[in-house]
Amino acid sequence: MKVLHLFSCLALLSLIACANSSDKKPKLDREASVSEISSNSPDSDLALETAFFDPKLPFTISEISTPHDYPSSMDDPSVCEGWELDEKVISQILKSSRVIEGSEWHHIFDHLPCNHQAVIGQGNQEYKLSLNGGSWMSISNSDSSMLMGVFDKKFDQYFLSEPMREEDQ
């Protein structure tokens, strides 16, 4: 009983602390761009440091490799042979992609063993990129990650499979 009372007190203190701190720090909306966060926030330096990768802002790509080792139910990795993307194409793909939910990633995209890995630099942050031949990618750093999908048909030529689209159903 004492343990339950202790947890109740800690939860209450946590709520009080969150309520008091909400007046001091800006709330970050994951859908907001970095420019929206910085222009609406008195603590713009903090907002810029905590915002995640934004493909609409300038970025660099380096250390591109093609390990083709993504875990897949496809037993034949030979499907990956000849699938190569250069820095310019990867940059264009990133700029046209959009964030996707886990359910979209699971149901709309093929998960192939084929992947390109790279390092993305933006501001003073570095992110790990893993671009899958199934028209999707993950972008991550030490504490966050996001999934993005490539829906623009003009990029279908660069992938081994395209996402399922409404017109395909």
Side-chain angles (χ1 to χ4, degrees):
M1 193 65 167
K2 288 182 181 181
V3 173
L4 182 58
H5 179 70
L6 177 62
F7 282 121
S8 298
C9 289
L10 288 174
L12 182 59
L13 288 173
S14 176
L15 287 172
I16 292 169
C18 287
N20 289 339
S21 68
S22 66
D23 296 335
K24 298 175 187 169
K25 292 185 181 177
K27 291 182 181 177
L28 297 180
D29 180 2
R30 287 190 88 44
E31 297 298 317
S33 71
V34 173
S35 61
E36 289 171 330
I37 293 169
S38 61
S39 65
N40 293 332
S41 167
D43 298 328
S44 61
D45 291 336
L46 172 64
L48 287 173
E49 289 176 15
T50 58
F52 200 69
F53 175 75
D54 184 345
K56 293 174 180 47
L57 295 176
F59 59 87
T60 59
I61 299 172
S62 61
E63 301 178 38
I64 299 172
S65 64
T66 54
H68 300 315
D69 61 356
Y70 182 78
S72 171
S73 60
M74 183 178 284
D75 291 335
D76 185 13
S78 68
V79 69
C80 305
E81 291 175 14
W83 185 58
E84 296 293 328
L85 300 175
D86 62 28
E87 182 181 332
K88 181 180 177 185
V89 171
I90 293 172
S91 178
Q92 292 170 345
I93 289 169
L94 271 166
K95 291 174 185 176
S96 74
S97 302
R98 73 165 174 83
V99 175
I100 57 174
E101 305 255 339
S103 59
E104 290 177 289
W105 173 75
H106 180 76
H107 294 290
I108 296 176
F109 296 91
D110 286 333
H111 300 245
L112 304 177
C114 318
N115 64 320
H116 288 321
Q117 293 181 353
V119 174
I120 304 172
Q122 187 172 65
N124 60 354
Q125 298 288 317
E126 278 194 350
Y127 304 93
K128 180 181 174 187
L129 168 70
S130 181
L131 181 62
N132 190 275
S135 300
W136 62 271
M137 67 194 82
S138 66
I139 299 172
S140 60
N141 64 11
S142 61
D143 63 345
S144 299
S145 64
M146 71 178 176
L147 294 170
M148 297 183 76
V150 184
F151 291 91
D152 191 332
K153 288 184 178 187
K154 75 180 181 183
F155 292 104
D156 286 355
Q157 65 181 320
Y158 297 111
F159 290 96
L160 302 172
S161 85
E162 61 269 358
M164 183 173 27
R165 297 185 175 96
E166 284 187 30
E167 61 265 19
D168 296 337
Q169 299 177 2

